[in-house]
Amino acid sequence: MATQQTRVLARVAVAPSVIMLFIWMIVPLVLTIYYSLNNYTLDDPTNFYWNSFGNYTYFLTDPTFFKSLGVSLLIVGSVLAITIVGGILIALLMDQPFAGQGIVRLMVLAPFFVMPTVAALIWKNLFMNADGGMLTWVSQVLHLPVVVWFTNWPLLSIIIIVAWQWLPFATLILLTAIQSLDEEQKEASQLDGAKPLSYFFYIVLPHLSRAITVVILIETIFLLNIFAEIKVTTNGSLNTANLPFLVYLTEAGDHDIGAASAGALVAVVLANIVAFFLVRMIGKNLEA
């Protein structure tokens, strides 16, 4: 049992790390709050004055804010639907014994380890390139019209790229959950003559509910911060700018540090609200 002296020594030992971590987090946050309450633009840095909540009003009343928020929600909802449905189907297939199972699992999980910028460049230049991409070649072989993806379907193209990156993560979590299914339940369902669909909907799917909740929680937190895929492919044009990209455009395009800081804090607050409700949802699910 730890004595009072060892507890004090332990706290003293970890204090430098905790203090450094606190400074690392609190200084950028304080500066962001400070700039968000002041008028500060890079085009005229001398015109610096207290603006109260003017930057927040400007950002929240900007029509592009609601468009960007809608794009963020659409990306999150679409990618979640694709990764959960696709993850369940792939996990069910990968759970079956077949030759080369280990290699197939490694290949399925590989996209998750590709950096977002690299993934976007691969899809933009190798798959969705209208001049010589693989999808163009497939369309020509099948005598189908060639699709200029980032012009005709820009947001769908981004959703496909992001879903391709996150599908392995969902598959891994769901496959682990399927493999933890009780063998006695499987045998009992087989003895009772349960059909494949009944087995899936009444045994497998309820068992996956917690894993699905975990996938939704983790993916949502990261999907709200999608940036590289949009920057590399469309650069925010054609109504593909989400909330983080709108903050970037406010700073890089308009050079308005005050409004960009306010937008960043708004994005953080919205993300924390979503995370709060998701954590509560997953907590109730785990208690059930």
Side-chain angles (χ1 to χ4, degrees), residues 19-35:
I19 293 172
M20 288 299 298
L21 181 61
F22 179 77
I23 294 173
W24 183 269
M25 296 174 61
I26 202 65
V27 170
L29 179 60
V30 170
L31 288 175
T32 303
I33 295 173
Y34 173 71
Y35 286 128

Side-chain angles (χ1 to χ4, degrees), residues 167-245:
L167 184 59
F169 170 78
T171 302
L172 179 62
I173 300 297
L174 295 168
L175 177 61
T176 304
I178 289 175
Q179 291 179 338
S180 67
L181 188 62
D182 191 359
E183 291 294 332
E184 293 182 358
Q185 277 188 304
K186 295 181 181 179
E187 294 175 359
S189 64
Q190 292 174 356
L191 293 174
D192 292 339
K195 296 181 179 180
L197 288 178
S198 300
Y199 171 74
F200 173 75
F201 283 107
Y202 292 103
I203 296 180
V204 176
L205 196 57
H207 181 73
L208 292 178
S209 60
R210 294 186 178 184
I212 292 173
T213 307
V214 172
V215 171
I216 292 174
L217 172 62
I218 296 176
E219 283 195 14
T220 301
I221 294 173
F222 284 93
L223 292 175
L224 287 171
N225 299 313
I226 291 296
F227 178 83
E229 294 85 347
I230 298 174
K231 176 63 178 175
V232 171
T233 55
T234 64
N235 199 30
S237 61
L238 303 173
N239 296 320
T240 58
N242 62 350
L243 199 52
F245 203 86

Side-chain angles (χ1 to χ4, degrees), residues 125-154:
N125 298 317
L126 297 181
F127 290 101
M128 294 180 171
N129 191 318
D131 296 326
M134 183 176 293
L135 296 181
T136 299
W137 176 78
V138 172
S139 299
Q140 292 173 344
V141 169
L142 299 176
H143 301 288
L144 297 174
V146 175
V147 178
V148 185
W149 285 92
F150 294 106
T151 301
N152 298 339
W153 302 97

Side-chain angles (χ1 to χ4, degrees), residues 20 29 35 60 78 89 102 116 140 155 157 192 241 247 281:
M20 288 299 298
L29 179 60
Y35 286 128
L60 293 173
S78 301
L89 295 176
Q140 292 173 344
L155 190 56
S157 303
D192 292 339
V247 175
M281 182 180 70

Side-chain angles (χ1 to χ4, degrees), residues 76-99:
V76 172
S78 301
V79 173
L80 284 177
I82 294 172
T83 54
I84 290 173
V85 175
I88 291 175
L89 295 176
I90 296 175
L92 289 172
L93 291 174
M94 291 176 63
D95 188 48
Q96 306 301 317
F98 57 88

